[in-house]
Amino acid sequence: MSPEVDTDVSEHEAVEALERLGLSNYGARVFVALQRLGVATAKQIHEETDVPRSQVYGAAEELLDLGLVELQQSTPKRYRPVGLDTARRQLAERMKREADRAFSFLEAQREARTDRETRDDVWTIHGREPVHNRVEELARQATDSILFAAPSPAFVPPDLPATLQSRIAAGASARVLSEDADVRAIFADVEGVEVAEAIDPPMDHPGRVLIVDDRVVLLSATPPGEGADETAIWSADTAMAEILARVIENSIDSFLNGSFGEE
């Protein structure tokens, strides 16, 4: 089935969209004109678009380089657009290549900064999705252990079970604690995850808890009231993170008294 097409898009909007996909303004206008003309010379394209004739050649070369038009070596030269499926694929692949290049650079910058970050930082995050993302990112860094606690499925990031599975495969241990049966059910079939029920949690905490390798701690809470958004704090490799990790784990271990894995 073909994708649904918005037939209310104007030519100006189409040109702007093509520009966002990486074409120059002249390149986009020439490409749009060629859809109407089919095959055309630079003179015909100029008359159709009002693009200066001297600029039509440069725009056509741009489209040739992108694989969006074909050139007939006649006198005068004639241009024909490739099929729209081909054009869509060419632009999508180009966008992916550019994104890969950009994010490869960004990843290198991110890794380079890790050793420069201060060890006295405590960070605050607002919103369910941003907290989901941070929990996932921190859990993926685990090399030794992960402890996760949540009061309801809404606090469980969708990819967390798979993340725990991958860290377990890499040699880490993973424990999940919740008073909610639905939360425990999410992790019940994840091989290697120890799941425990908290009937009366030792830490009356209305949010989630994540401890990674005893050096990273994330705590979140949702204020009472309809529409209230979750807020979390997290810290890594700090004295506060170390102390919180020790207090929380000792409290949980004392309460459970070895009940992990009993389900």
Side-chain angles (χ1 to χ4, degrees):
M1 181 180 295
S2 300
E4 188 173 323
V5 177
D6 185 352
T7 56
D8 293 329
V9 173
S10 67
E11 180 169 336
H12 176 72
E13 291 171 324
V15 167
E16 287 186 335
L18 288 169
E19 288 183 82
R20 288 192 291 272
L21 289 172
L23 274 64
S24 68
N25 177 265
Y26 286 155
R29 289 163 63 185
V30 167
F31 189 61
V32 169
L34 283 171
Q35 305 309 311
R36 291 193 294 268
L37 297 171
V39 177
T41 64
K43 179 176 182 295
Q44 291 170 323
I45 293 170
H46 159 67
E47 293 171 347
E48 177 72 19
T49 62
D50 287 332
V51 172
R53 188 166 176 177
S54 61
Q55 299 297 325
V56 169
Y57 295 104
E61 286 297 321
E62 172 192 339
L63 296 173
L64 279 167
D65 290 342
L66 292 174
L68 299 180
V69 302
E70 298 172 352
L71 169 65
Q72 185 181 64
Q73 293 287 0
S74 56
T75 305
K77 293 179 180 179
R78 304 170 75 211
Y79 303 94
R80 179 174 67 184
V82 299
L84 290 181
D85 285 344
T86 299
R88 185 193 296 269
R89 184 172 62 253
Q90 291 286 84
L91 289 175
E93 290 175 354
R94 180 174 185 271
M95 291 291 288
K96 183 180 184 303
R97 287 194 301 270
E98 294 301 320
D100 288 345
R101 288 180 60 201
F103 280 92
S104 176
F105 174 81
L106 294 173
E107 183 64 30
Q109 300 306 298
R110 188 183 186 93
E111 290 176 358
R113 76 144 199 257
T114 301
D115 293 335
R116 301 195 302 268
E117 288 188 333
T118 175
R119 298 171 68 86
D120 299 322
D121 289 331
V122 177
W123 300 93
T124 302
I125 317 166
H126 297 286
R128 181 62 48 82
E129 285 304 316
V131 179
H132 273 347
N133 294 337
R134 177 54 60 184
V135 168
E136 275 285 342
E137 184 171 332
L138 295 175
R140 284 195 295 268
Q141 298 173 14
T143 59
D144 182 57
S145 62
I146 300 171
L147 170 65
F148 178 71
S152 74
F155 290 85
V156 180
D159 294 332
L160 188 60
T163 297
L164 296 192
Q165 183 72 81
S166 70
R167 301 325 301 151
I168 290 169
S173 63
R175 301 191 293 172
V176 172
L177 172 69
S178 181
E179 63 270 32
D180 190 296
D182 291 334
V183 171
R184 300 195 301 275
I186 292 172
F187 297 93
D189 295 328
V190 182
E191 186 175 355
V193 174
E194 298 177 77
V195 181
E197 179 181 5
I199 299 173
D200 183 18
M203 300 185 68
D204 188 13
H205 183 66
R208 51 185 137 184
V209 176
L210 177 72
I211 301 176
V212 176
D213 294 345
D214 295 326
R215 66 175 188 81
V216 180
V217 173
L218 179 145
L219 299 171
S220 80
T222 302
E226 186 175 350
D229 213 348
E230 182 181 17
T231 296
I233 62 168
W234 70 275
S235 186
D237 296 314
T238 64
M240 189 192 83
E242 182 180 347
I243 292 169
L244 277 175
R246 187 181 306 123
V247 169
I248 293 170
E249 290 191 320
N250 287 344
S251 177
I252 289 174
D253 287 343
S254 174
F255 171 77
L256 292 174
N257 194 24
S259 67
F260 269 113
E262 288 183 3
E263 284 201 350

